[in-house]
Amino acid sequence: MSTEPNDIDAPLLRNREPLRLHVPQPKRRPGEPPDFSDFTPPEAGSVPRPDVAAPAEEMRPLAFELIRVLDSSGEAVGPWRPDLPADRLVAGLRAMLRTRAYDERMFRVQRQGKSSFYMKCTGEEAVAAAAAMALDAEDMCFPTYRQQGLLLTRGYPMMKMMCQVFSNAEDPLKGRQMPVFYSSKAAGFFSISGNLGTQFSQAVGWAMGSAYKGGDRIAAAWIGEGSTAEGDFHYAMTLASVYRAPVVLTVVNNQWAISTFQGIANGGEATFAARAIGYGVPALRVDGNDFLAIYAATAWAAERARSNLGPTLIELVTYRAEGHSSSDDPSKYRPAHEARAWPLGDPIERLKAHLIALGAWDEDQHLALQAEAAEEVGVALKAAEAIGVLGAGRRPSSSTMFEDVYKDQPWHLRRQRQEAGV
Amino acid sequence: MATMTMVQALNSALDVMLGRDPDVLVFGEDVGYFGGVFRVTEGLQRKHGLTRCFDTPITEGGILAAAVGMGAYGLRPVVEIQFADYIYPAIDQLISEAARLRYRSAAEFTAPLVVRTPYGGGIFGGQTHSQSPEGLFTHVAGLKVVIPSTPYDAKGLLVAAIEDDDPVLFLEPKRLYNGPFSGRHDEPVRPWSGHPAAETPEDYYRVPFGQANVVREGSAVTLLAYGTMVHVALAAAEDTGIDVEVIDLRTLWPVDIETITASVCRTGRCVIVHEATRTSGFGAELSALVQENCFWSLEAPIVRVTGWDTPYPHVFEWEYFPGPKRIAQALRDVVEA
């Protein structure tokens, strides 16, 4: 073996300057004014709508665009306009108003010490409401903790959700889970995990199962932009791509993962939707505060899935208007009033403006619908509180804590239950 | 000396080590600008710079992998996993990689990293913010496992962990972050101030691995505990009036077998307490060690008081938590046996 020692010392192989470790930083911090100057949303209606069967490579530009339907005057424009009748639009508005009313009340109740924890989806109500309306009621959802709107829109009883939050005797999950970690097989809502991202790849497995059995139900999954850094996101993309799974995969990019801005999750050089390109999966980047755009994108992706064309990745660009949870204080890490400066506005206000522009809605009707939502929340809360809240009222029987660890209770759990005296 | 909470003591340890050794790096989810969800890294980025204490994506496996790679380069990464319950995506990097790197490379490459992570219940965190997974890691050859019970020990042990040349899992009892906890959850929360072990030097010091702390001397029965349960055990001992010797292990692995053996051989009785589930928990290892080392001195069966073998149930937190009542009953049973 001949060696050329000079090659090793060749100056060409050396760095010309010392290497530097790069750590991304958001543009603004507390005490500074909000700044979204690097995010200029394109005009509504400007993004083409390809046929669902178009080859993935032709769809690549969509991963860098922003599909928007509602323009600044409240008109629905462009090829993605879903042409929903007014009563369906009102149903969407109602779903979002109910979600917001529910969140506001349950957050206050947490502050009163009646539950241990709460998570709002304020500013992101369109994410779940539009998807629930675009999907079939039988389709299976694998949500994160911020898609409570799926349950509310699918007609799951609000009072039962409250009982879960209170861990009381009527909590369907028997007090075992933290508040808002709902589960309902009947509502097609998979059990929420506190471990982030796990549901994304599970949804692919569910969809593969539906395909294997020749069924007609598809799966839909949600993940936060922060959690796309988990392996589960990449497992999901790989498996969905390989097996052409009938699944709609949605990244909810709400800009903040607790205290870290979206650049910490992806380096800030590409969109989250663009991650799909490497997997050969079509991707849509969508205005996440535009009910109609989310509806249209979800319906398009669902049609692809139902036609055996495989998965779609949707990035919904939105903004987490409140803290991560009741345990969080966003004033510690982001500018005050950043939510107000968010260029995509409020999803409820935008759909309301659209209905008014159509002549199908007015302020009085809106106030009445708001009042109806608040009333519904109040009535349900009274009933749920009458059963029990954390630390008061009726709880599930404590012997149930030893059940469902296994299908049949083994000897050691029987013995432990006896020792516990329950 | 200053009076510190455990959070402040841990922060001080990181601050001291960042100041002493440019090869020490601190990173994890929300640890940078924000200073961590439990505030343990507060102010460190501002003081030591963006590349010394920084935020990571939500990627526990990635965090551990990066730490292994940095360790191979020659750095001493100190990473935070936000809750011990989130450590499982990192387990391959921790068990298959970090723990075995020295062995498989004949000591050519090492992983001198520290994984800090809050563990344990008592904050209504449900099954994904309450777990005590120490037993999974004491089972792994090549890993050291540390659990402090006071601010003083937390700082000294964390300094020792950072200076250790092997990978260390440093489990922080989150219920003790801001005050000691007797296990009587209906009593008012107590702060660390006034507790003797809250007196913490502001400068560098170490608490060595492998040295347990006899926190209460006694002759009737030996109680082995660590982390939160040390304080609960002390409360239970007071309740019973039994002459209990309480040993705080401080490092689970390496475990201080001499102190344990000397104590149990003297008292002839042993109660082991942990919050983790019972089956194959670290108490099983301790029980076997006591039996192997003290069999001819034992006057009663060794008893374990632990969390039940279920996931941590949100609303039944205090039925699940092995509180002073259950420990006191075990002490009485063992002494009367």
Side-chain angles (χ1 to χ4, degrees):
Chain A
M1 192 171 75
S2 73
T3 53
E4 303 262 351
N6 283 345
D7 284 354
I8 283 170
D9 292 328
L12 276 176
L13 296 179
R14 291 203 184 131
N15 288 297
R16 286 163 182 78
E17 55 177 316
L19 298 167
R20 285 185 304 272
L21 180 62
H22 169 71
V23 180
Q25 285 275 73
K27 288 179 74 173
R28 293 286 189 262
R29 286 297 192 185
E32 300 173 326
D35 180 359
F36 288 110
S37 59
D38 59 352
F39 175 51
T40 312
E43 288 297 311
S46 60
V47 178
R49 182 182 186 277
D51 186 85
V52 292
E57 68 235 41
E58 277 177 29
M59 302 192 198
R60 281 179 196 166
L62 294 171
F64 300 93
E65 307 278 353
L66 194 70
I67 295 168
R68 311 183 69 205
V69 171
L70 290 170
D71 71 11
S72 54
S73 65
E75 297 292 329
V77 295
W80 287 92
R81 191 177 64 178
D83 287 326
L84 289 172
D87 63 326
R88 294 279 287 157
L89 296 174
V90 172
L93 187 65
R94 182 166 176 270
M96 291 196 287
L97 282 172
R98 289 175 73 234
T99 306
R100 188 165 292 182
Y102 176 78
D103 273 354
E104 282 175 3
R105 196 68 188 266
M106 296 312 285
F107 190 83
R108 269 191 285 148
V109 162
Q110 191 277 335
R111 286 293 187 249
Q112 292 164 359
K114 292 176 182 171
S115 78
S116 59
F117 182 77
Y118 194 72
M119 299 180 96
K120 299 167 92 170
C121 66
T122 311
E124 303 174 44
E125 289 89 350
V127 170
M133 288 180 62
L135 293 168
D136 193 281
E138 298 282 301
D139 292 335
M140 184 67 191
C141 297
F142 288 78
T144 78
Y145 40 58
R146 228 180 286 283
Q147 278 82 51
Q148 56 268 54
L150 292 170
L151 284 172
L152 290 165
T153 310
R154 281 186 163 181
Y156 187 83
M158 194 180 269
M159 201 272 261
K160 267 169 101 170
M161 293 171 70
M162 292 169 168
C163 290
Q164 196 282 326
V165 171
F166 292 141
S167 288
N168 69 21
E170 299 296 324
D171 169 8
L173 309 182
K174 304 181 181 180
R176 291 175 187 157
Q177 281 274 57
M178 271 177 77
V180 315
F181 287 21
Y182 312 105
S183 175
S184 171
K185 195 169 183 179
F189 189 98
F190 190 69
S191 161
I192 301 285
S193 173
N195 296 74
L196 300 183
T198 49
Q199 75 285 355
F200 216 56
S201 32
Q202 292 161 351
V204 176
W206 194 98
M208 288 166 65
S210 187
Y212 164 75
K213 291 292 271 185
D216 57 4
R217 298 167 70 194
I218 63 169
W222 289 259
I223 194 169
E225 90 286 351
S227 302
T228 62
E230 293 283 17
D232 298 277
F233 173 81
H234 301 277
Y235 305 153
M237 294 305 294
T238 302
L239 294 170
S241 160
V242 168
Y243 296 106
R244 214 172 281 174
V247 60
V248 180
L249 297 166
T250 299
V251 177
V252 182
N253 175 5
N254 67 8
Q255 313 298 313
W256 289 96
I258 305 188
S259 76
T260 53
F261 82 117
Q262 57 156 321
I264 285 289
N266 76 348
E269 298 295 325
T271 67
F272 290 93
R275 294 185 170 195
I277 291 172
Y279 294 99
V281 170
L284 307 175
R285 189 160 176 268
V286 179
D287 179 342
N289 289 19
D290 180 337
F291 179 91
L292 294 182
I294 301 170
Y295 181 95
T298 308
W300 186 89
E303 192 189 334
R304 271 183 51 79
R306 290 189 211 290
S307 313
N308 281 306
L309 293 165
T312 307
L313 184 71
I314 298 174
E315 176 187 353
L316 299 179
V317 180
T318 181
Y319 185 84
R320 196 194 76 209
E322 304 259 358
H324 166 72
S325 72
S326 53
S327 307
D328 183 31
D329 176 6
S331 73
K332 291 258 197 308
Y333 51 78
R334 68 185 189 189
H337 311 310
E338 201 179 67
R340 275 186 232 159
W342 174 240
L344 297 177
D346 179 293
I348 292 178
E349 291 303 315
R350 287 176 67 191
L351 187 58
K352 174 191 166 194
H354 175 56
L355 274 161
I356 290 173
L358 286 179
W361 200 241
D362 62 32
E363 290 291 347
D364 288 344
Q365 283 173 299
H366 194 76
L367 285 172
L369 190 56
Q370 263 178 330
E372 179 199 306
E375 169 73 12
E376 183 193 1
V377 171
V379 169
L381 186 61
K382 205 170 163 193
E385 286 191 345
I387 295 158
V389 299
L390 188 70
R394 286 194 297 124
R395 297 193 316 166
S397 157
S398 43
S399 67
T400 60
M401 73 185 260
F402 294 98
E403 295 169 1
D404 299 329
V405 180
Y406 301 93
K407 181 166 178 284
D408 300 312
Q409 195 171 60
W411 66 268
H412 73 290
L413 286 175
R414 276 202 304 279
R415 208 177 270 183
Q416 290 181 20
R417 179 170 56 78
Q418 285 157 6
E419 196 186 329
V422 295
Chain B
M1 288 290 224
T3 301
M4 294 190 195
T5 66
M6 190 180 282
V7 168
Q8 290 165 334
L10 291 163
N11 182 276
S12 176
L14 294 169
D15 183 29
V16 165
M17 292 311 293
L18 283 163
R20 283 171 68 97
D21 184 350
D23 289 341
V24 172
L25 295 183
V26 174
F27 55 96
E29 295 158 17
D30 300 290
V31 308
Y33 182 89
F34 184 49
V37 297
F38 289 103
R39 322 304 298 145
V40 172
T41 57
E42 188 166 23
L44 297 178
Q45 183 180 79
R46 195 167 59 243
K47 179 170 176 185
H48 297 280
L50 186 61
T51 57
R52 302 290 309 282
C53 176
F54 57 86
D55 291 321
T56 64
I58 301 171
T59 176
E60 294 80 12
I63 292 167
L64 254 295
V68 171
M70 287 181 180
Y73 181 84
L75 304 179
R76 290 190 179 274
V78 184
V79 304
E80 176 177 309
I81 299 296
Q82 198 163 79
F83 285 87
D85 316 63
Y86 301 168
I87 205 167
Y88 307 115
I91 233 167
D92 195 32
Q93 288 291 339
L94 198 49
I95 292 179
S96 312
E97 303 299 318
R100 299 185 200 151
L101 188 57
R102 174 184 299 279
Y103 193 82
R104 79 182 195 212
S105 71
E108 217 180 21
F109 292 103
T110 61
L113 57 89
V114 179
V115 182
R116 293 182 36 249
T117 187
Y119 86 97
I123 65 159
F124 275 110
Q127 52 196 266
T128 51
H129 304 80
S130 307
Q131 293 168 41
S132 299
E134 66 274 12
L136 294 174
F137 298 100
T138 54
H139 190 60
V140 177
L143 279 186
K144 295 180 179 176
V145 179
V146 178
I147 303 185
S149 70
T150 66
Y152 179 89
D153 282 353
K155 177 170 175 181
L157 287 166
L158 183 54
V159 168
I162 295 169
E163 291 187 334
D164 200 283
D165 290 328
D166 288 312
V168 178
L169 178 67
F170 192 92
L171 292 155
E172 301 171 359
K174 69 172 91 73
R175 181 66 209 221
L176 300 183
Y177 269 151
N178 294 303
F181 178 57
S182 67
R184 297 190 191 99
H185 58 94
D186 40 5
E187 288 180 0
V189 175
R190 277 190 300 156
W192 274 112
S193 56
H195 192 286
E199 290 307 307
T200 308
E202 283 163 280
D203 299 330
Y204 171 92
Y205 69 95
R206 291 165 58 112
V207 171
F209 285 6
Q211 292 186 14
N213 189 18
V214 180
V215 291
R216 185 188 201 269
E217 292 185 354
S219 58
V221 50
T222 300
L223 190 154
L224 304 178
Y226 47 85
T228 308
M229 300 316 292
V230 171
H231 301 269
V232 182
L234 286 169
E238 291 304 320
D239 287 351
T240 57
I242 296 170
D243 191 20
V244 185
E245 178 145 300
V246 177
I247 297 178
D248 174 1
L249 297 181
R250 298 202 282 202
T251 56
L252 276 61
W253 212 261
V255 72
D256 183 355
I257 191 65
E258 285 83 11
T259 299
I260 295 171
T261 303
S263 177
V264 179
C265 287
R266 193 162 39 77
T267 62
R269 299 165 202 272
C270 183
V271 171
I272 298 162
V273 179
H274 60 59
E275 195 183 334
T277 47
R278 179 185 184 90
T279 301
S280 299
F282 191 59
E285 180 62 35
L286 289 172
S287 178
L289 285 171
V290 168
Q291 186 274 136
E292 286 161 7
N293 287 278
C294 309
F295 180 77
W296 303 106
S297 306
L298 285 174
E299 294 176 44
I302 301 161
V303 169
R304 287 177 285 164
V305 184
T306 70
W308 308 120
D309 283 331
T310 73
Y312 215 112
H314 175 256
V315 81
F316 302 119
E317 179 135 284
W318 300 117
E319 284 85 348
Y320 182 90
F321 188 91
K325 220 170 123 187
R326 281 179 60 204
I327 298 172
Q329 188 57 49
L331 288 168
R332 287 189 202 102
D333 290 347
V334 166
V335 170
E336 286 160 17

